[in-house]
Structure formats: structure tokens, C-alpha cells
Amino acid sequence: MVDRITDIWGERTPHPRGTVWPARVDLHLEEGVAEGDVERWVQSACLLCSNGCGADIAVKDGRMVGVRGRAGDTVSHGRLGPKGLYGSTPWASSPDRLTRPLIRKDGELVETDWDTAMGRIVEVSKRLLDEKGPLSHGFYTSGQLFLEEYYTLAVIGKAGLGTPHMDGNTRLCTATSAAAFKESFGADGQPGSYTDIEHCDAIFLYGHNMPETQTVLWTRILDRTRGENPPRIACVDPRRTAVAEEAIRTGGVHLAPRVGTNLALMNGLVRELFVHDWVNHAWVSEHTIGVDELRETVDPYTPEHVADICGVAADDLRAAAQVFGESSGVLSTVLQGFYQSHQATAASVAVHNLHLLRGMIGRPGAGVLQMNGQPTAQNNRECGADGDLPGFRNWDNPEHVQQLADAWNVDAMTVPHWAPPTHAMQIMSYAETGSIGFLWISATNPAVSMPESARIRRILAGDQCFTVVQDLFLTETAQLADVVLPAAGWGEKTGCFTNVNRVVHLSEQAVQPPGEARSDLDIFLMYADSMGFTDRDGAPVVKWRTAEEAFDAWAIVTAGRPVDYTGLSYEKLRGPSGIPWPANAEHPDGTDRLYTDGVFPTDTDYCETYGHDLITGGAVSEQEHRAMAPGGRAFLKGAPYTPAHETPGDDYPLLFTTGRTVYQFHTRTKTGRARSLNQAAPDAWVELSPTDAAELGINEGDWVRVESPRGAIEVRARIGRVTPGAVFAPFHYGHWDPDDLTDAEHRSANELTMTVWDPVSKQPTFKTAACRVTRLRAGEGPAPAPTNTASAPAPGTPTRAPATGGGAATSSHVLDETPHYALDPSQEI
């Protein structure tokens, strides 16, 4: 049996460029359960990263007892990562599941029935509507609900209540992905495809530790780099990750910029394309606007100037630019190292600039993947639960607003469009003052995941705002709520979710939820019914009762929009494993990659946004946009580098940055209850460079205090592979722990981070906080960090033995069969 805790990516299946990625089916069952014992396999997809790997759920005796990859899946070709294998099902039978509603009484949360709990919610909601109107209501949701639930919530908020105060924790993860797409291409939506990995000859990863955040996608890349005609890898990351190691092995480049200087680096790369004439002038002339302004913006960023700002060698910058400029096909991926850092949107747009200048978009092996962090983040953005209008519509376009008003049969003035949607950080500020007096939080844990978490806890615990939380467990956030609603989780309900590269999966209900727990859809429907939201004819605004009916209603409002689902249905999604949108009459089997004709959704009457100034966030008006006459051409947009909001000084000489580890997901609600995963990364730690550790007198495993102007944590030190001057901490750990660790009250990384956000995407800046580190005492051994990931110790540092996957059955086997879609690079699925 393969232990996927120690062997994270599993068996290699190398193949040459231009050929299909071979299938390999991964399987894990609970200890004591054999394949023959499984009573049913239920179609689904993995919910523990954004990759969207097709999976079947194993059911025995009414319980979920394991998972198996789907060999014909569009995304994964049968594979699953460690979190998917070991973390998908144990949480479901955890004894601390919420099974009944809770209400706060005399300062304590006590069990009650659904009618009482919902009655309390509706009483407060109606009172605030009467006293203050819809601006008194806010909703903060997730990237882990189903499409049908997001759309239902969007209709409640936009057509029932009429509040603009809606967002999701996707604001923290990948709001910059959507913002960058809108700025460059006119609308959200991944241009590229995972199949580009099979056809490219270079892969650039910008702030993307893919080996830990999307393990199966990294497996796909490894199977190219270990095969014939491998692509070269370029890595932009201040840590020496597995991506950096692979870049060196393939003859590529590792660029390790100082934290907060990404845009200067990107401007230097773009300048090199101009200097060496690695530009497809004919394509740029026909399909883009803004090239002259971009050339002028990046001109000062010589390799030597970039080296001064970023701390990278000028020749390394030249080498990376040469790889991009001379390759026939480049795939770029981007994630939190850009999204959560300074000048996030501008840096991410600069990735698009590189591709547009070379005409490397819309063809096999040439594309961009601005990645997501959660399995259904894309659905939140599509459906409008994040504040945007459903279907990638423009809130500043009256015709788009009217389309939704007609679809919902409400007055257009009910649909909030008089100002930009309220982003998550602003929602919390309104809740802090009591301007928002009713805040509904679903499937997320902001008390741990939001920046400056002590402030967030004070807001949620205060009397100025009535807080509702629906979740699987009594999380750190739920403990502060006025009402807690027990929700059904993955496998306990039916719904769809869409992954990073637009692939839609159907997840069928496999088992019943515990006790009185209900699906998020049923909870939202109960609220809508109890509030009596009606349309202009007096009929319910929310007209569906089932997940399938909600999906069909959603598909109707996507007609004619970039995110077109009209060719999809539950019937079509059953059986085949993953279909990418747009899927419609023109593309009945879905669309592998966008913009194959070089036409972008930038027309003024069609686009999702008119754009913004990348430095200030100032909005471009409809008149200004129309005057530019984009007419289906992409925007080349640039901005100068500026220093980060908070830079090191005498009191706080280091820069604090947060991130992820392969064995935990978000705030560990699921993975912390999977014994093998939690044992592999059981407690928080902080990573220091050997240089900084030596200057501070810190040894491996020592207890240290890491402090910023906002707060502090006390954790053990890993002498690791970060660049000097940087301090890295995983953000997953709050005060909850399955083993009741005594130090759990002092380890939340977001105690240190800032309430500062990008001016365009409004994504918080988690990665540029000034800090200082002080040794407290010697440890009893090495830090609790993994040794087979980017958190591995520096050479010569003593470590603990790695955990294993335990005694349960885990297997992988390579198959001759291939996924169902066509593999000829001239075809599209």
C-alpha cells in the first residue's frame, strides 16, 4: 500500500509532450473496510482544494468510509491528493458534529429546535429591516458551499432584501484572480486549461506553491517534467519550495523576490520582452490596446533596478525572461504569493501582459491559470454571493441590472447597484460600528482566517451586531454567535461545484446528515419562506425547492453571458466526470479553453467591469471605457511599483508572511479531524532563515515569540528555507485542537496581519507585516513542521520523523484507459 502522507504525489506516470496524461486511480478506505465491503459508490468530486478532482464516495452501513478517484475524470484522471484521500470523510462521523440549533441565552449557547432558532433570526431581521432598511443586513459566506446554495443566497440578498453587503471568504483567497481577469479581459473566467500542461514547453508559477496547494495538478506537471521533451519550470517564490527545486532540475529559474516586491519583478520581466523584441506585434496590434502606455510604464525597470528592489540577481531575471520570450508555449499559474501580497491586482495583471505581448493565450500549451484556493470559489463569484451580480454582469450597467430584475420579477431598484458591492473587510467594519446589525456567516471561520483576528473576534462577540453562524462544528467563530445552525456537509447533500478551470462536477448525496442538521440550501429556503420574500406578483422570490431546480434556474440567468451553463443539467452531469463551461447549443460538450479566436468580453455593453486604476483603485467610467473602444480587444495595463504599507524598521526588522501546508486545509475544520493528516502537521510553527536564526540565537525547535504592531504568537521555530528577512507561518491554526494542546491560545498567525487591502480586488494583504522574533526558551525537540515539504529544515537541522498514513487501506494503480475527452490538441472538449 502507498503511504501518501510521506509520498505526497504518488507513483509517477511520465509521458512526452503532446500526449495524454495516463490515468492512475487512487483509493483510500477506512481501516477494516475492504473494497468488497463497500455497498455503494456515489459520484462526487473532492472538496479539499480548488483542483476539483472527480471522486466516488464509498458508503457502508449508512456512513461514508472512503473515496476513490474517477479514472475518466476530466480534471484528475483518477488521482486524489493526501487531503482528499485521508480528509474527505473522517470529519463526517466526528462526535463533535453540530446536530441541533443553538441560541444564546443568558450569555451561553444552548440547544433548541429549528422553529425557535429561525424564529429568533427572523424576528431580528424583520425588526432591523423596519428600523434601518436592507443596509442593516450583511452576509459572509464561503468557497465551500454548492453552486445552488450560492445562487439561492444571492437571490435572497439581492432580490429579497436588496442589500449590497454580501461577500465570501473568497475575498481572502482569490478575489484578485477575478479582478485581474476583469481588468485584462473584461470578465472573470479562466482562459487556460489543465490540458495546457500536456502541450507547453515552459511553466511559470508565480507565488504558487502548487505541490502543497494543488497536489494532483503538481503530479500532472511532474509527469511532464519526468517524461520526454519536458517543459522548463520558472518559480517566483521567497521560499525554496518543491517548485523551486524542480525549476533548478529542469534548467529553469528560481526567482526569490523580497516579500512585497512582486510588481517590480513583473515590470522587469515585461520590459525584457520589449527590449529583446519577444513580442508578437501583429497579434498585439489586432487583439489588444494599451501597448505604448505599458512600454512606457515598465521602461525604468531594468534588471539592475529590479535587483536593487527585489533582491534577485539581474542575470536571473534576464534568464527567466528569456525562457518566457523564446518558448513556443508557456503556461502560467498564479496564487496567494501574488494575491495576498502588496499590489496584488497589478502584479497579477502583469502576468497577463506577458502572455498578451507574446500572443500566448487561447491555444494548446499557451494559457493562464489564475488559481483559486477553495473548491467552489468560482461558483461564489459566478452566482453573485460575493457581491458581484450573477452571470458576470456589470453592476454599473443598467441593462445588466434589468436583466436580473426581469428574471427575478422584482423592481430593478431592489437590486443593489447604486455603488460597488461591499467587500468583506468593509462588511466587518460596518458590523464593528453596528451599521450592519445582522450578519449571517456560513461555512467559514473568520475568527481564525481574517487578518488582525483579535479585532475580528471583538466584532463578532460584541452586542452591536446580531450574528448567525451555520457550520458543521462549533468553530471559533460559531462560539461567538447569537444563533448557530447545524449544516449538512459534503456527501450529505446534493449540488454542483466548479473548479479552477471552469469544470463543473455534480456531487450526489451519499448519506443522511446527523441529527437535525440541514443542507445550506434548505436553511436558506427556510429563512426566505419565514421572511415572506415575494416578487411583484406576490409569488415567492425563491421559486425552487430542490437543488436540481435551483441549478436549472441558475442556468437560465447565464444565457448569453460568458459563464453560460444553458447546455448543462443534472442529467448531463451524471455519468461523465466534469464538463467545463461555457456549455450551450454552440458548445454542447463544454469548452476546454477560452479566447481561441482572440476575442475578449471587453465590449462596453457586455463587459463585467469598466476597469480601474491599478494604483488607486479608482473606477473607469462607462463613458471613459466606451471612448477607448475596446471592441473585443484585451487591455494591456501597467502600474509602477510602490513600497508596501508596512516595511521593516528598528522595532520590527523582519517581514511576516503567511501560507499553507499540504496536510491542512483552511482552519482545519475537516483536516484537523483526520488523524493521519493532523499528525503530519499537528501544531503551528514559524520558519526563519539560518542567517536570521543565528543572529537571534534561535535553534531548531526553540519556542519563540513573533510580534507585530497588532499582536503576537508563541510557537516553535523551524530553521528553514525562507529568504533572509522573511518569517513564514501557516495560517491554519486557531485555538481549537483535537488534542487540546496547551499552547493553542497563542498560535493564530492572523493575530499579526494587517487590516489593509488591495485597491482593486479588495483582497487583504496577509504577506507584508513587519515583525520581530524573540527566543523564549529551548524546545523539547524539532518544530512540528513537516520535513518533506517547503517547510523542510535547512541542511543539517535535526528533525522529527514524518508521520504516516496509518493502517487503513490506500492504493494507487495505473490504468491503460484514458479520460473521456479528446486529446488531439487541435480539438476542444
Side-chain angles (χ1 to χ4, degrees):
M1 294 295 180
V2 178
D3 177 12
R4 293 289 300 284
I5 296 294
T6 55
D7 184 4
I8 295 171
W9 307 295
E11 182 182 358
R12 296 275 58 73
T13 55
H15 64 104
R17 181 179 181 181
T19 62
V20 61
W21 186 32
R24 185 194 83 194
V25 174
D26 295 345
L27 165 74
H28 176 74
L29 297 171
E30 281 185 8
E31 191 168 1
V33 178
E35 269 194 88
D37 298 330
V38 177
E39 297 165 2
R40 289 184 298 125
W41 292 97
V42 180
Q43 178 174 346
S44 185
C46 180
L47 202 67
L48 287 172
C49 83
S50 64
N51 206 51
C53 302
D56 292 324
I57 304 170
V59 179
K60 182 179 185 295
D61 298 329
R63 294 176 56 249
M64 295 187 288
V65 295
V67 288
R68 177 183 66 189
R70 294 172 65 86
D73 185 61
T74 302
V75 171
S76 62
H77 300 209
R79 292 161 181 79
L80 293 168
K83 287 192 289 287
L85 286 168
Y86 302 126
S88 288
T89 61
W91 60 269
S93 54
S94 180
D96 60 340
R97 279 290 299 274
L98 290 171
T99 59
R100 297 195 69 202
L102 306 173
I103 59 172
R104 191 164 296 280
K105 187 174 182 180
D106 298 326
E108 301 292 330
L109 286 170
V110 297
E111 287 191 352
T112 189
D113 57 72
W114 273 97
D115 288 341
T116 300
M118 189 58 69
R120 176 78 63 87
I121 293 169
V122 170
E123 183 274 322
V124 174
S125 183
K126 287 184 174 180
R127 174 172 55 78
L128 286 171
L129 284 175
D130 290 340
E131 294 175 356
K132 296 184 177 181
L135 295 183
S136 62
H137 283 55
F139 293 85
Y140 183 62
T141 186
S142 177
Q144 298 177 55
L145 300 183
F146 285 157
L147 176 157
E148 299 81 356
E149 294 162 343
Y150 292 126
Y151 182 57
T152 300
L153 181 59
V155 173
I156 289 171
K158 291 172 169 60
L161 289 163
T163 179
H165 302 327
M166 304 186 74
D167 205 353
N169 65 11
T170 49
R171 184 67 56 188
L172 315 183
C173 295
T174 50
T176 299
S177 170
F181 286 142
K182 295 175 193 178
E183 296 300 322
S184 297
F185 308 134
D188 195 354
Q190 290 288 349
S193 166
Y194 289 172
T195 60
D196 289 328
I197 294 171
E198 277 78 80
H199 304 293
C200 64
D201 59 355
I203 303 174
F204 277 61
L205 296 95
Y206 301 92
H208 185 188
N209 184 12
M210 186 189 291
E212 299 194 53
T213 55
Q214 287 90 17
T215 55
V216 170
L217 196 60
W218 182 244
T219 300
R220 192 168 188 158
I221 289 177
L222 288 179
D223 285 344
R224 275 292 326 277
T225 62
R226 306 307 168 94
E228 299 175 27
N229 311 119
R232 285 181 290 179
I233 305 296
C235 171
V236 178
D237 199 304
R239 300 165 78 207
R240 193 176 175 102
T241 64
V243 179
E245 299 284 358
E246 198 69 7
I248 295 167
R249 199 193 70 81
T250 61
V253 184
H254 175 209
L255 301 175
R258 292 188 180 103
V259 172
T261 65
N262 292 333
L263 182 56
L265 182 83
M266 295 307 300
N267 283 347
L269 290 172
V270 173
R271 182 185 182 276
E272 286 295 289
L273 295 193
F274 284 121
V275 167
H276 295 281
D277 200 28
W278 291 318
V279 178
N280 187 333
H281 294 284
W283 196 93
V284 168
S285 177
E286 183 177 356
H287 297 290
T288 72
I289 61 174
V291 65
D292 292 335
E293 293 85 349
L294 178 63
R295 183 187 292 108
E296 182 179 353
T297 298
V298 302
D299 187 61
Y301 294 88
T302 65
E304 289 73 22
H305 184 42
V306 171
D308 288 341
I309 296 171
C310 301
V312 300
D315 284 345
D316 286 347
L317 181 81
R318 292 187 179 97
Q322 185 174 5
V323 172
F324 201 103
E326 295 183 349
S327 295
S328 61
V330 178
L331 172 66
S332 291
T333 75
V334 191
L335 197 57
Q336 313 293 17
F338 271 36
Y339 300 163
Q340 293 181 341
S341 193
H342 180 53
Q343 296 186 285
T345 303
S348 299
V349 164
V351 176
H352 299 161
N353 292 339
L354 291 170
H355 281 262
L356 292 170
L357 288 173
R358 294 221 56 220
M360 281 202 181
I361 198 163
R363 59 181 173 86
V368 178
L369 295 171
Q370 298 273 1
M371 301 295 292
N372 297 336
Q374 296 181 84
T376 65
Q378 191 65 45
N379 296 124
N380 196 324
R381 285 151 44 184
E382 295 166 2
C383 296
D386 67 342
D388 288 340
L389 293 185
F392 295 166
R393 287 176 171 85
N394 187 345
W395 67 268
D396 207 15
N397 185 326
E399 175 57 31
H400 288 193
V401 176
Q402 189 61 53
Q403 290 169 6
L404 291 174
D406 291 343
W408 298 332
N409 193 26
V410 298
D411 191 293
M413 292 306 296
T414 301
V415 182
H417 63 281
W418 51 86
T422 312
H423 61 91
M425 302 305 295
Q426 190 64 59
I427 287 174
M428 287 297 173
S429 293
Y430 289 154
E432 186 173 29
T433 64
S435 174
I436 288 178
F438 177 99
L439 180 61
W440 192 319
I441 300 170
S442 51
T444 187
N445 191 12
V448 177
S449 60
M450 273 193 149
E452 204 172 342
S453 53
R455 170 177 173 260
I456 299 300
R457 292 195 300 273
R458 288 194 300 270
I459 294 170
L460 298 177
D463 295 331
Q464 81 290 345
C465 183
F466 180 86
T467 305
V468 179
V469 172
Q470 65 191 56
D471 214 317
L472 307 172
F473 299 94
L474 194 64
T475 63
E476 290 92 338
T477 299
Q479 291 172 18
L480 304 173
D482 295 287
V483 176
V484 179
L485 303 177
W490 174 88
E492 299 169 347
K493 58 183 182 178
T494 294
C496 291
F497 51 96
T498 306
N499 80 333
V500 169
N501 71 323
R502 299 171 283 100
V503 174
V504 185
H505 283 98
L506 173 64
S507 179
E508 304 268 21
Q509 182 175 358
V511 299
Q512 293 298 317
E516 299 177 24
R518 299 185 180 185
S519 74
D520 297 274
L521 176 62
D522 286 341
I523 294 171
F524 293 147
L525 290 175
M526 184 180 187
Y527 171 68
D529 292 345
S530 300
M531 291 294 292
F533 296 132
T534 58
D535 64 14
R536 286 194 280 199
D537 297 329
V541 164
V542 181
K543 297 174 172 59
W544 46 88
R545 298 288 97 182
T546 67
E548 185 169 7
E549 291 170 353
F551 182 91
D552 292 342
W554 157 248
I556 290 171
V557 303
T558 67
R561 297 304 300 161
V563 54
D564 195 333
Y565 276 67
T566 54
L568 297 178
S569 64
Y570 272 29
E571 181 180 1
K572 187 161 188 171
L573 290 167
R574 287 189 172 107
S577 194
I579 301 174
W581 63 255
N584 49 29
E586 184 180 357
H587 303 285
D589 296 319
T591 306
D592 191 24
R593 60 181 56 79
L594 303 181
Y595 313 137
T596 56
D597 56 1
V599 177
F600 301 88
T602 55
D603 185 86
T604 303
D605 294 323
Y606 188 74
C607 63
E608 189 179 359
T609 180
Y610 301 133
H612 301 82
D613 182 283
L614 297 182
I615 290 292
T616 67
V620 176
S621 71
E622 183 268 338
Q623 293 85 355
E624 291 169 325
H625 189 275
R626 194 174 297 279
M628 288 186 281
R633 293 176 292 171
F635 289 94
L636 288 163
K637 303 181 74 167
Y641 161 77
T642 62
H645 295 85
E646 191 168 87
T647 56
D650 292 340
D651 289 337
Y652 300 97
L654 302 170
L655 274 175
F656 182 76
T657 182
T658 65
R660 290 151 174 73
T661 182
V662 67
Y663 300 115
Q664 300 289 2
F665 186 60
H666 278 231
T667 61
R668 303 163 62 242
T669 307
K670 295 185 176 72
T671 54
R673 290 171 170 86
R675 179 59 56 180
S676 59
L677 291 173
N678 202 57
Q679 286 178 340
D683 197 4
W685 69 92
V686 65
E687 296 172 25
L688 300 166
S689 73
T691 301
D692 293 328
E695 290 180 357
L696 295 166
I698 295 170
N699 296 311
E700 169 69 24
D702 283 355
W703 284 91
V704 297
R705 178 178 175 87
V706 187
E707 188 174 6
S708 81
R710 289 154 297 279
I713 55 174
E714 295 181 1
V715 295
R716 280 164 284 183
R718 162 56 45 89
I719 312 306
R721 304 191 293 175
V722 295
T723 55
V727 178
F728 172 88
F731 87 101
H732 309 287
Y733 302 88
H735 69 248
W736 171 82
D737 195 89
D739 298 317
D740 295 324
L741 297 178
T742 56
D743 67 304
E745 294 292 334
H746 308 287
R747 62 180 184 172
S748 179
N750 280 319
E751 299 287 339
L752 282 73
T753 49
M754 293 184 290
T755 305
V756 174
W757 53 83
D758 181 77
V760 180
S761 68
K762 308 299 189 280
Q763 182 156 351
T765 302
F766 287 96
K767 295 186 180 289
T768 54
C771 73
R772 60 183 174 226
V773 181
T774 306
R775 182 181 185 272
L776 297 177
R777 61 186 184 277
E780 297 177 352
T787 59
N788 56 342
T789 70
S791 297
T797 305
T799 61
R800 67 190 181 95
T804 68
T810 304
S811 69
S812 299
H813 55 278
V814 178
L815 301 183
D816 292 331
E817 65 182 286
T818 58
H820 72 274
Y821 61 84
L823 292 158
D824 184 334
S826 66
Q827 297 180 359
E828 295 184 4
I829 54 176

